[in-house]
């Protein structure tokens, strides 16, 4: 039974990635939650800029505003550089001590509230059926909102058929396995891999 529910969620997800439904999803997101969350992120960016100490991370908060406005529908967070060191570009390294410090402060002061906001938005959009795809991405964004710094943004690959989704999932699994064998970043995953985890979270919410 659970497998059947997951299959149904997958079919709705890929169906909602096709036009004109994709446009409907994007408009619905911006009108309901996107504009408010984007505004909050802009205000947080201004606060970090004023604090001076966390001013270097204010630009990342502006990226979060862009991601919130998009709703994670066409954009997704990613990182391909993870090294526990004070050296190197901390703004693209989630394992940098500087980034960990910024993420810790963010999670305590702002992150948990924004994560709950994204989860609430995911629940509301999941109830609309057509917004299940948006709900899936917002479960992912809830985790990103809680611990955001050290990652960039890239365009999300949107599968329009279940076959395409399965191909993305297989490619993500292969890349992750190869990365582990080479001793590279095991957390570098495509949107399909993350979305697979989000499916289960969304299904649990729906049940």
């Amino acid at each position: 039974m659970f497998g059947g529910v997951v299959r149904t969620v997958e079919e709705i997800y890929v169906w909602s990635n096709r036009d004109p439904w994709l446009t409907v999803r994007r408009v619905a997101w911006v009108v309901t939650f996107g504009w408010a969350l984007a505004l909050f992120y802009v205000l947080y960016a201004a606060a970090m800029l004023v604090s001076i100490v966390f001013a270097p991370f204010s630009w990342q908060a502006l990226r979060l505003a862009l991601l919130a406005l998009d709703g994670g529908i066409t954009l997704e967070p990613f990182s391909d550089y993870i090294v526990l060191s004070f050296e190197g570009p901390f703004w693209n390294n989630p394992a940098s001590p500087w980034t960990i410090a910024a993420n810790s402060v963010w999670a305590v002061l702002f992150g948990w509230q924004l994560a709950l906001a994204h989860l609430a938005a995911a629940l509301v959009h999941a109830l609309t059926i057509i917004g299940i795809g948006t709900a899936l991405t917002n479960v992912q964004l809830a985790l990103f909102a809680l611990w955001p710094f050290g990652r960039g943004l890239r365009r999300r690959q949107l599968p329009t058929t279940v076959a395409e989704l399965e191909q993305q999932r297989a490619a993500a699994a292969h890349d992750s396995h190869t990365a582990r064998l080479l001793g590279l970043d095991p957390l570098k995953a495509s949107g399909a891999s993350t979305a697979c985890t989000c499916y289960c979270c969304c299904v649990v919410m729906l049940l």
Side-chain angles (χ1 to χ4, degrees), residues 127-179:
L127 296 176
T128 66
I129 306 302
I130 192 176
I132 284 180
T134 307
L136 294 173
T137 58
N138 268 275
V139 173
Q140 177 188 11
L141 294 191
L143 299 175
F144 186 50
L146 187 64
W147 202 262
F149 301 112
R151 286 181 281 183
L153 297 179
R154 66 182 176 189
R155 184 164 294 278
R156 183 185 297 275
Q157 296 180 352
L158 294 175
T160 55
T161 65
V162 175
E164 290 181 6
L165 180 61
E166 292 175 347
Q167 289 176 358
Q168 289 183 12
R169 189 179 302 150
H174 178 269
D175 291 344
S176 179
H177 177 67
T178 302

Side-chain angles (χ1 to χ4, degrees), residues 56-176:
F57 293 94
S58 59
W59 67 274
Q60 179 72 344
L62 292 176
R63 278 188 174 185
L64 285 164
L66 177 62
L67 185 60
L69 191 62
D70 175 75
I73 297 174
T74 61
L75 297 174
E76 66 177 352
F78 81 103
S79 176
D80 55 6
Y81 182 87
I82 296 183
V83 178
L84 184 58
S85 171
F86 283 98
E87 300 178 357
F90 64 87
W91 53 86
N92 280 331
N93 181 11
S96 167
W98 300 116
T99 309
I100 292 174
N103 275 323
S104 299
V105 174
W106 174 273
V108 172
L109 297 181
F110 313 115
W112 68 272
Q113 300 166 333
L114 291 167
L116 289 178
H118 279 289
L119 290 176
L123 180 59
V124 171
H125 277 265
L127 296 176
T128 66
I129 306 302
I130 192 176
I132 284 180
T134 307
L136 294 173
T137 58
N138 268 275
V139 173
Q140 177 188 11
L141 294 191
L143 299 175
F144 186 50
L146 187 64
W147 202 262
F149 301 112
R151 286 181 281 183
L153 297 179
R154 66 182 176 189
R155 184 164 294 278
R156 183 185 297 275
Q157 296 180 352
L158 294 175
T160 55
T161 65
V162 175
E164 290 181 6
L165 180 61
E166 292 175 347
Q167 289 176 358
Q168 289 183 12
R169 189 179 302 150
H174 178 269
D175 291 344
S176 179

Side-chain angles (χ1 to χ4, degrees), residues 6 10 136 165 169 190-202:
V6 172
E10 290 180 344
L136 294 173
L165 180 61
R169 189 179 302 150
S190 70
S193 177
T194 308
C196 180
T197 303
C198 293
Y199 290 146
C200 298
C201 296
C202 190

Side-chain angles (χ1 to χ4, degrees), residues 31-52:
V31 171
T32 55
F33 295 98
W35 69 272
L37 286 171
L39 178 60
F40 286 144
Y41 280 120
V42 170
L43 294 176
Y44 293 152
M48 297 185 82
L49 188 61
V50 172
S51 72
I52 300 179

